[in-house]
Amino acid sequence: MGRLAAASPVRHPVSHEWVVLEPGYEPDEDLAAEITNPHAWEEDGTASDDEPEPGMSADNGPAAEPPRRRRRTAGTSE
């Protein structure tokens, strides 16, 4: 089916124990059939690495600029 985009708790079809499948894992067909949430899967064409695109933050929003530091001005003597 593909790779998981999110952690997915499922009941193993043979042992009936709860297991958590981690993001990026490609489960076998028997485990994949237990995952009912369509949002748990990576979409086709989704990059497999965790690096955001240039200019984008990890949450897919515009990257924030770092805070600017104010420079202290030297006091002038009169």
Side-chain angles (χ1 to χ4, degrees), residues 12 18 21 23 27 52:
H12 193 278
W18 283 100
L21 306 178

Side-chain angles (χ1 to χ4, degrees), residues 3-25:
R3 297 174 67 136
L4 291 171
S8 301
V10 296
R11 190 171 289 241
H12 193 278
V14 176
S15 67
H16 302 288
E17 294 178 339
W18 283 100
V19 293
V20 176
L21 306 178
E22 298 294 326
Y25 181 71

Side-chain angles (χ1 to χ4, degrees), residues 1-76:
M1 273 197 96
R3 297 174 67 136
L4 291 171
S8 301
V10 296
R11 190 171 289 241
H12 193 278
V14 176
S15 67
H16 302 288
E17 294 178 339
W18 283 100
V19 293
V20 176
L21 306 178
E22 298 294 326
Y25 181 71
E26 294 182 40
D28 295 333
E29 289 181 25
D30 57 341
L31 283 174
E34 300 294 319
I35 300 171
T36 58
N37 183 353
H39 299 291
W41 300 100
E42 286 184 355
E43 296 179 17
D44 292 336
T46 301
S48 61
D49 58 346
D50 293 335
E51 303 265 339
E53 293 180 25
M56 300 296 280
S57 67
D59 65 354
N60 293 331
E65 292 185 20
R68 296 183 184 201
R69 300 181 104 192
R70 292 185 184 188
R71 294 188 178 191
R72 293 185 183 177
T73 56
T76 57

